[in-house]
């Protein structure tokens, strides 16, 4: 292809191309420095195995400069009309957004599909662009008469950038928590990552559980104040071990529980945690086991096992979620004598059940707003549209 000079392009179209170039550069820089920086940082982390850190400002400057140079190179060697000049920015955009996503295992499929689709579109557009070269005067004149088209194309390119270059918040939180725990950061700082959102994944729950085990309160006090999925006790052990730091952290958790690394976690997680708690009845293993029972909604077994590890009496305080579970157990499986007749927790439960009965189908959000940090909400949330089976 011959070099495309600007002498044959009308002045108005040169101004349009220059404005498109400026708008693209400004948008790409702030995108890569802001919402898109997490994607490149995580891709860099996978490539460098966590050995070096990514600088968002330097990265945004370098990637933007590279994209503008490549776009300019394509404009000079492929004769795009002014109407289709934005096509020169498709390939640079893919290199800056989709390619980093391909290096992240959880995003690889989406990045591959979106990147391939964009490149296919770019290749398809090459032939019409070259066909217009032979009559560039007519094409450029038509483009001058309808100069809004390139801006529409640029807007669509911006949408593509946002869809492919931004990671889900859960992936970002998982990465940040992994790094914080791996580098032994303060547990409360680690728990503050993603605290304001309602994002939950098995990996996030495992990371939060381990961070809670490093606090003075422990898991039994605060685990259910965070969003938790319905995958049961399997969420407590880190099974998504993508990356060297994640694998090392997963091994550390197993060692702290008194379990051997490399153990098959696809088997009965509760039995694994039970054996760990028996070996270390006064450490974090007991809370992993008891919280695993609560995640499985196994109240009977929980009420039977709890006295093995905690003194349950009117004069002894037990972790908040364990007290909530015992009150729920007393109402679900009535006993001659309540297992845990603690007055304030029982009163809160009665209020919870009253609100749940009144708002079960019409406004469950009201119940969530007041009681989302209680074990009772976790226990009932999957049956909100069913009739209650326990006694208020």
């Amino acid at each position: 292809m011959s070099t495309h000079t600007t002498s044959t392009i009308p002045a108005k179209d040169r101004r349009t191309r220059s404005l498109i170039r400026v708008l693209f550069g400004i948008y790409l820089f702030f995108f890569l420095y802001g919402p898109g920086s997490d994607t490149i940082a995580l891709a860099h982390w996978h490539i460098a195995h966590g050995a070096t850190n990514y600088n968002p400002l330097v990265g945004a400057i370098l990637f933007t400069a590279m994209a503008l140079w490549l776009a300019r190179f394509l404009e000079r060697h492929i004769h795009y009309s002014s109407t289709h000049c934005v096509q020169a920015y498709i390939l640079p955009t893919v290199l800056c957004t989709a390619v980093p996503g391909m290096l992240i295992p959880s995003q690889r499929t989406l990045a591959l599909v979106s990147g391939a689709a964009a490149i296919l579109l770019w290749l398809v557009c090459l032939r019409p662009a070259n066909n217009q070269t032979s009559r560039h005067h007519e094409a450029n004149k038509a483009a001058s008469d309808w100069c809004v088209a390139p801006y529409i194309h640029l807007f669509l390119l911006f949408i593509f950038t946002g869809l492919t270059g931004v990671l889900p918040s859960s992936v970002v939180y998982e990465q940040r928590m992994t790094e914080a725990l791996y580098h032994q950061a303060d547990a409360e700082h680690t728990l503050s990552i993603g605290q304001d959102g309602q994002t939950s994944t098995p990996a996030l729950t495992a990371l939060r559980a381990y961070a809670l085990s490093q606090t003075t309160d422990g898991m039994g006090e605060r685990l259910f104040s965070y969003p938790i999925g319905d995958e049961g006790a399997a969420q407590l052990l880190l099974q998504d071990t993508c990356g060297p730091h994640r694998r090392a952290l997963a091994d550390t958790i197993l060692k702290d529980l008194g379990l051997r690394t490399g153990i098959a976690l696809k088997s009965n997680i509760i039995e694994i945690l039970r054996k760990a708690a028996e070996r270390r009845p006064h450490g974090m293993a007991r809370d992993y086991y008891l919280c695993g029972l609560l995640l499985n909604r196994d109240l009977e077994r929980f009420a039977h096992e709890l006295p093995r590890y905690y003194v349950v009496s009117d004069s002894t305080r037990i972790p908040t979620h364990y007290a909530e579970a015992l009150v729920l157990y007393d109402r679900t499986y009535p006993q001659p004598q309540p297992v845990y007749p603690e007055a304030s927790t029982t009163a809160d439960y009665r209020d919870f059940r009253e609100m749940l009965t009144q708002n079960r189908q019409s406004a469950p959000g009201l119940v969530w707003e007041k009681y989302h940090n209680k074990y009772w909400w976790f226990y009932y949330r999957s049956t909100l549209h069913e009739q209650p089976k326990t006694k208020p």
Side-chain angles (χ1 to χ4, degrees):
M1 297 182 183
S2 60
T3 301
H4 184 36
T5 64
T6 59
S7 59
T8 58
I9 302 177
K12 183 177 181 181
D13 292 339
R14 288 200 298 270
R15 289 194 297 269
T16 299
R17 292 170 186 261
S18 298
L19 182 57
I20 290 293
R21 190 177 304 115
V22 170
L23 292 175
F24 175 80
I26 292 174
Y27 174 84
L28 187 64
F29 171 80
F30 283 104
F31 176 82
L32 295 177
Y33 182 65
S37 63
D38 288 320
T39 303
I40 301 179
L42 187 53
H44 172 271
W45 181 80
H46 280 284
I47 294 175
H49 301 291
T52 58
N53 294 321
Y54 171 74
N55 187 307
L57 178 59
V58 175
I61 293 174
L62 292 178
F63 274 96
T64 303
M66 178 199 71
L68 290 174
W69 176 86
L70 180 58
R72 184 61 175 165
F73 177 83
L74 294 174
E75 282 184 311
R76 291 179 62 85
H77 292 81
I78 300 176
H79 301 303
Y80 296 106
S81 69
S82 294
T83 305
H84 300 90
C85 63
V86 175
Q87 293 171 8
Y89 298 89
I90 294 178
L91 185 59
T93 301
V94 171
L95 293 177
C96 291
T97 59
V99 171
M102 296 175 190
L103 302 174
I104 304 171
S106 61
Q107 302 299 115
R108 186 165 296 155
T109 300
L110 175 62
L112 281 171
V113 172
S114 58
I119 292 177
L120 180 62
L121 175 63
W122 177 67
L123 292 174
V124 168
C125 293
L126 285 180
R127 184 176 180 182
N130 285 326
N131 286 342
Q132 291 175 3
T133 303
S134 61
R135 54 181 191 279
H136 57 270
H137 291 291
E138 292 80 5
N140 286 321
K141 184 177 184 302
S144 301
D145 295 336
W146 190 45
C147 60
V148 72
Y151 300 103
I152 295 176
H153 297 163
L154 185 64
F155 177 73
L156 294 176
L157 188 63
F158 288 168
I159 293 177
F160 170 82
T161 304
L163 292 176
T164 59
V166 179
L167 288 175
S169 58
S170 60
V171 178
V172 177
Y173 295 155
E174 287 174 11
Q175 175 61 22
R176 291 178 180 175
M177 290 189 73
T178 297
E179 289 300 293
L181 289 170
Y182 179 81
H183 294 290
Q184 299 180 344
D186 178 70
E188 294 298 337
H189 166 72
T190 303
L191 290 167
S192 68
I193 298 173
Q195 187 174 13
D196 297 334
Q198 289 302 311
T199 303
S200 174
T201 65
L204 272 178
T205 298
L207 293 168
R208 284 168 176 157
Y210 185 62
L212 283 170
S213 72
Q214 310 301 308
T215 65
T216 55
D217 294 338
M219 295 168 58
E221 197 69 33
R222 294 161 55 189
L223 179 63
F224 292 94
S225 64
Y226 297 93
I228 297 180
D230 290 315
E231 291 85 355
Q235 301 174 85
L236 294 178
L237 297 180
L238 194 57
Q239 302 186 51
D240 178 11
T241 56
C242 175
H245 288 187
R246 188 76 63 87
R247 286 193 293 270
L249 188 58
D251 290 342
T252 300
I253 295 174
L254 293 176
K255 290 177 181 177
D256 289 350
L257 290 171
L259 300 170
R260 61 179 177 84
T261 59
I263 187 173
L265 298 179
K266 299 299 182 182
S267 56
N268 192 336
I269 297 293
I270 279 295
E271 288 306 308
I272 293 175
L273 296 177
R274 180 187 64 80
K275 294 176 181 178
E278 287 180 350
R279 296 192 195 102
R280 300 185 178 184
H282 302 294
M284 58 184 274
R286 64 176 178 178
D287 289 318
Y288 265 80
Y289 174 47
L290 293 172
C291 287
L293 292 173
L294 294 183
L295 286 169
N296 284 348
R297 297 183 171 89
D298 193 346
L299 290 178
E300 286 188 280
R301 188 170 177 181
F302 171 81
H304 175 74
E305 295 288 338
L306 182 64
R308 295 174 180 264
Y309 306 101
Y310 287 90
V311 176
V312 181
S313 67
D314 297 341
S315 59
T316 304
R317 185 186 181 280
I318 60 176
T320 299
H321 294 318
Y322 299 165
E324 294 164 358
L326 286 183
V327 169
L328 179 58
Y329 171 76
D330 282 335
R331 299 307 185 276
T332 308
Y333 305 97
Q335 307 293 319
Q337 293 293 329
V339 175
Y340 190 73
E342 202 274 322
S344 62
T345 307
T346 301
D348 287 343
Y349 175 74
R350 287 173 177 166
D351 181 63
F352 166 79
R353 284 308 308 272
E354 183 178 347
M355 288 189 66
L356 187 65
T357 302
Q358 294 173 356
N359 301 283
R360 178 179 289 270
Q361 296 185 7
S362 59
L366 296 176
V367 187
W368 177 89
E369 186 175 351
K370 186 173 182 180
Y371 289 107
H372 68 277
N373 61 343
K374 303 290 186 182
Y375 175 68
W376 308 319
W377 171 259
F378 170 82
Y379 187 87
Y380 278 108
R381 71 179 181 194
S382 62
T383 60
L384 282 181
H385 299 290
E386 299 178 4
Q387 293 302 314
K389 299 179 182 179
T390 63
K391 297 168 63 177

